[in-house]
């Protein structure tokens, strides 16, 4: 049964709060904007999203390794990467209602035309807007006790730079050879002008980023390859393909470092939104750090904005970030293909996609049709009644299941009500222990989506659930 888009976000946020998926950060203190807390079910769901990403990008492959780099980095990293100079959004303020807007969001053609709107987009206000000002999205912080400019650095606004600056460490410490990738999942921070749409645009969020290094010239093929791989990932986790699109950026609109970019977008109830950007970043980043690292000794902690990076080797062939290709017997700076996805946005997309309502027993049934691999709880064990030896029989089965999967045990309320509770949080399987279990050793296995029930033997439950979750990959 289709749930109207206009109501879906409201219903989903209510469910998320009611059942412990996502809470507003610091709710007790009135909340803060752009930060979210994942509750007991939300943390499991997001962990499953991240695990599924890691499985595809790292575990299932021989040519990608993982990394967990720090959030705090040398301030020159952010100068060399261009974030100090360019990681800014243009913003305008309404002089009347004081609302602040990102120019490119209220004027979609801004990037090409440079046209800045003059009237507040709020139909009730229509006040006059200020001119556009650049607002750097990085959160500043200070290392150590002295808060002067020498100690200033930033919370990372993306995990990718931690990968680039470890490129040589990974090459030297492993036997991996180009083409290869380094993957990382971790927190990033952006002081977004206008956080909104639930977790979609937050100020603290998690990214899942792969930097795949390849020989210049092979980059176009690797780019196409990763676009296809990522499509398979979303499809494999059951996302509705008519709500997913792959949008290629027009050449004129590409960022200065990118040769090609495809955005993966999902049709959220509030419209199309980016889940992931896949970019051919050429050798831009490694070259940038090649210059950045030469500047370290020369840097005395002046304002980074004014500091000039020292480029003593315009060819960039001799530095640490070039790569010696043994087969070709030559040195080059690898090109990079970057699929960069948001863990929170993917989680939100899977939640929106899974939310459904249908009818059962004359009542509305709320159900999250999550892929079994993503479901926060895989199986619920439910003794029909709390007596007649049923709990004693159900407990060992629960113990066996919980060793392998996220499982819950629930013996309170009528069985129908317990099924509804599990449907609402997306539990794909419920196992009920009843009078027949005691006689013939069979249990009722109920499936969330079809609500079909079948009897299977107690001993086969673990294998059944295992097959249905992991056999579906
Ligand atoms: P947007 O245009 O929506 O601001 P972006 O193009 O700046 O996003 P990237 O820098 O490409 O985003 O970051 C890669 C991914 O990180 C995005 O596709 C998204 O999934 C995630 N991401 C970026 N900003 C946020 C945010 N403020 N909140 C949640 N996720 C984010």
């Amino acid at each position: 049964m289709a749930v109207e888009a206009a109501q879906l976000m409201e219903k989903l946020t209510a469910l998320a709060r009611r059942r412990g998926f996502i809470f507003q950060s610091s709710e007790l203190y009135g909340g803060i904007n752009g930060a979210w807390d994942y509750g007991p079910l939300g943390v499991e769901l997001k962990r499953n999203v991240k695990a599924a990403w890691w499985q595809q990008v790292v575990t299932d492959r021989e040519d990608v390794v993982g990394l967990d780099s720090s959030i705090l980095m040398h301030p020159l990293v952010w100068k060399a990467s261009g974030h100090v100079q360019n990681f800014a959004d243009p913003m305008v303020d309404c002089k009347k209602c004081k609302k602040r807007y990102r120019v490119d969001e209220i004027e979609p053609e801004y990037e090409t035309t440079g046209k800045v709107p003059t009237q507040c987009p709020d139909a009730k206000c229509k006040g006059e807007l200020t001119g556009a000002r650049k607002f750097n999205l990085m959160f500043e912080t200070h290392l150590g006790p002295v808060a002067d400019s020498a100690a200033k650095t930033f919370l990372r606004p993306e995990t990718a730079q931690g990968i680039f600056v470890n490129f040589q460490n990974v090459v030297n410490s492993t036997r991996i050879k180009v083409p290869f990738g380094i993957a990382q999942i971790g927190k990033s921070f952006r002081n977004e002008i206008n956080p909104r749409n639930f977790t979609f645009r937050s100020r603290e969020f998690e990214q899942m980023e792969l930097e795949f290094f390849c020989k210049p010239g092979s980059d176009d093929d690797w780019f196409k390859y990763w676009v296809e791989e990522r499509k398979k990932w979303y499809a494999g986790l059951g996302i509705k393909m008519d709500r997913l699109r792959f949008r290629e950026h027009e050449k004129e609109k590409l960022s200065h470092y990118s040769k090609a970019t495809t955005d993966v977008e999902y049709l959220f109830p509030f419209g199309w939104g980016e889940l992931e950007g896949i970019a051919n970043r050429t050798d831009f980043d490694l070259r940038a750090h090649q210059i950045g690292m030469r500047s370290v000794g020369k840097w005395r902690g002046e304002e980074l904005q004014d500091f000039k990076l020292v480029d003593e080797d315009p060819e960039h062939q001799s530095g640490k970030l070039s790569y010696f290709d043994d087969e070709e017997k030559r040195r080059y700076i690898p090109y990079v293909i970057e699929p960069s996805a948001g863990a929170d946005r993917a989680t939100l997309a899977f939640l929106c996609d899974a939310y459904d309502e249908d009818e059962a027993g004359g009542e509305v049934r709320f159900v999250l049709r999550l892929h079994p691999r993503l479901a926060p709880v895989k199986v619920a064990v439910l003794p029909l009644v709390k007596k007649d030896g049923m709990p004693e029989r159900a407990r060992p089965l629960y113990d066996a299941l919980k060793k392998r999967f996220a499982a819950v045990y629930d013996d309170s309320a009528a069985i129908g009500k317990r099924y509804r509770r599990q449907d609402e949080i997306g539990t794909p399987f419920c196992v009920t222990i009843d009078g027949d279990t005691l006689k013939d050793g069979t249990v009722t296995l109920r499936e969330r989506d079809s609500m079909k029930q079948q009897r299977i033997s107690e001993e086969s439950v673990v294998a059944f659930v295992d097959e249905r979750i992991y056999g579906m990959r």
Side-chain angles (χ1 to χ4, degrees):
M1 195 155 78
V3 180
E4 265 191 53
Q7 292 171 359
L8 178 56
M9 245 11 238
E10 216 172 287
K11 290 186 171 189
L12 197 72
T13 38
L15 170 80
R17 188 167 184 273
R18 183 171 73 246
R19 296 304 311 270
F21 280 91
I22 302 169
F23 309 119
Q24 197 186 3
S25 163
S26 320
E27 195 185 87
L28 210 54
Y29 285 82
I32 63 161
N33 229 346
W36 299 94
D37 296 343
Y38 287 78
L41 293 176
V43 67
E44 296 293 341
L45 173 61
K46 193 162 127 183
R47 274 164 58 96
N48 294 341
V49 170
K50 291 185 284 183
W53 184 88
W54 196 263
Q55 180 85 38
Q56 186 206 32
V57 171
V58 183
T59 319
D60 280 353
R61 306 181 63 91
E62 288 177 28
D63 57 357
V64 177
V65 291
L67 181 78
D68 184 6
S69 70
S70 62
I71 288 171
L72 295 172
M73 296 170 77
H74 194 291
L76 275 186
V77 169
W78 305 112
K79 175 75 185 182
S81 68
H83 284 81
V84 170
Q85 309 85 303
N86 302 323
F87 197 62
D89 280 340
M91 62 169 192
V92 287
D93 290 301
C94 173
K95 291 182 185 166
K96 195 168 148 201
C97 72
K98 310 287 178 215
K99 272 199 198 119
R100 182 162 279 182
Y101 299 98
R102 233 173 89 171
V103 178
D104 55 347
E105 278 174 0
I106 55 175
E107 178 53 62
E109 294 305 311
Y110 170 76
E111 271 176 42
T112 20
T113 64
K115 202 176 132 228
V116 179
T118 49
Q119 284 238 313
C120 181
D122 185 333
K124 286 201 203 107
C125 170
K126 293 239 165 120
E128 196 192 333
L129 296 176
T130 61
R133 277 174 300 150
K134 286 267 181 185
F135 174 72
N136 195 299
L137 299 185
M138 284 197 291
F139 279 98
E140 281 183 14
T141 188
H142 292 90
L143 294 166
V146 187
D148 63 8
S149 66
K152 187 167 99 182
T153 190
F154 307 92
L155 301 185
R156 68 179 177 201
E158 60 176 37
T159 64
Q161 299 306 324
I163 297 181
F164 296 127
V165 303
N166 276 294
F167 170 76
Q168 199 62 16
N169 283 337
V170 172
V171 169
N172 290 344
S173 60
T174 63
R175 295 193 357 254
I176 210 143
K177 289 191 183 342
V178 167
F180 76 91
I182 306 178
Q184 163 154 247
I185 298 179
K187 285 260 169 138
S188 292
F189 302 84
R190 296 183 188 178
N191 201 1
E192 295 282 356
I193 296 168
N194 233 340
R196 66 177 184 287
N197 290 333
F198 202 17
T199 55
F200 181 82
R201 187 170 301 287
S202 309
R203 290 186 168 132
E204 173 178 342
F205 54 95
E206 262 183 294
Q207 291 185 308
M208 310 185 286
E209 296 197 293
L210 166 68
E211 305 303 327
F212 194 83
F213 302 94
C214 60
K215 193 163 60 176
S218 67
D219 49 308
D220 292 339
D221 287 344
W222 279 113
F223 178 76
K224 282 189 213 125
Y225 169 85
W226 277 108
V227 170
E228 282 313 307
E229 282 300 288
R230 297 301 299 139
K231 197 179 277 180
K232 281 187 218 154
W233 186 79
Y234 290 101
L237 291 170
I239 211 148
K240 297 187 183 81
M241 292 312 270
D242 58 347
R243 293 194 199 160
L244 197 73
R245 73 178 184 199
F246 285 69
R247 197 174 59 80
E248 255 176 68
H249 286 214
E250 294 154 34
K251 289 270 177 270
E252 326 56 88
K253 289 198 178 168
L254 289 173
S255 329
H256 58 289
Y257 51 75
S258 169
K259 190 174 156 194
T261 299
T262 293
D263 282 346
V264 184
E265 296 181 337
Y266 178 76
L267 185 55
F268 286 98
F270 47 81
W272 289 98
E274 177 185 322
L275 296 182
E276 171 164 355
I278 306 170
N280 179 344
R281 298 181 63 99
T282 68
D283 56 1
F284 176 84
D285 305 273
L286 292 179
R287 272 178 190 270
H289 290 300
Q290 196 88 279
I291 301 172
M293 70 188 203
R294 293 208 174 89
S295 308
V296 175
K298 283 112 190 148
W299 187 67
R300 311 250 179 304
E302 40 278 60
E303 276 300 329
L304 276 172
Q305 192 71 334
D306 307 327
F307 178 73
K308 299 253 176 324
L309 293 166
V310 185
D311 186 4
E312 285 164 350
D313 170 21
E315 293 301 311
H316 311 297
Q317 297 301 318
S318 61
K320 280 191 186 168
L321 297 181
S322 65
Y323 173 83
F324 185 74
D325 189 317
D326 323 309
E327 273 176 27
E328 297 205 354
K329 304 273 179 272
R330 70 180 178 103
R331 202 165 260 290
Y332 55 79
I333 297 188
Y335 268 36
V336 174
I337 309 302
E338 176 194 73
S340 166
D344 308 85
R345 286 192 186 174
T347 303
L348 184 62
F350 286 121
L351 272 175
C352 290
D353 213 57
Y355 187 92
D356 198 11
E357 292 173 5
D358 59 13
E359 249 189 64
E363 278 178 27
V364 181
R365 178 174 82 123
F366 302 101
V367 53
L368 280 187
R369 299 189 192 280
L370 289 167
H371 188 285
R373 285 192 70 201
L374 299 181
V377 177
K378 310 293 186 215
V379 56
V381 177
L382 317 170
L384 189 62
V385 289
K386 253 196 259 186
K387 53 183 185 187
D388 301 336
M390 289 181 206
E392 291 74 12
R393 195 71 178 244
R395 274 277 164 194
L397 180 59
Y398 167 62
D399 288 339
L401 283 163
K402 130 169 121 56
K403 276 197 193 131
R404 304 283 297 274
F405 322 103
V408 296
Y409 182 90
D410 184 4
D411 61 5
S412 63
I415 191 74
K417 195 164 177 196
R418 280 183 272 162
Y419 284 150
R420 299 289 173 277
R421 272 183 202 151
Q422 296 305 324
D423 291 341
E424 199 185 38
I425 64 166
T427 307
F429 308 106
C430 287
V431 178
T432 305
I433 282 74
D434 55 21
D436 287 346
T437 313
L438 306 178
K439 283 186 229 143
D440 63 9
T442 62
V443 296
T444 301
L445 192 129
R446 174 189 181 270
E447 299 196 33
R448 173 197 69 201
D449 291 343
S450 60
M451 292 187 278
K452 273 203 192 113
Q453 303 190 2
Q454 57 177 302
R455 289 204 78 85
I456 63 171
S457 74
E458 246 173 332
E459 297 87 64
S460 62
V461 173
V462 173
F464 180 96
V465 174
D466 191 77
E467 214 281 310
R468 298 299 299 276
I469 298 169
Y470 300 108
M472 284 171 83
R473 265 218 282 145

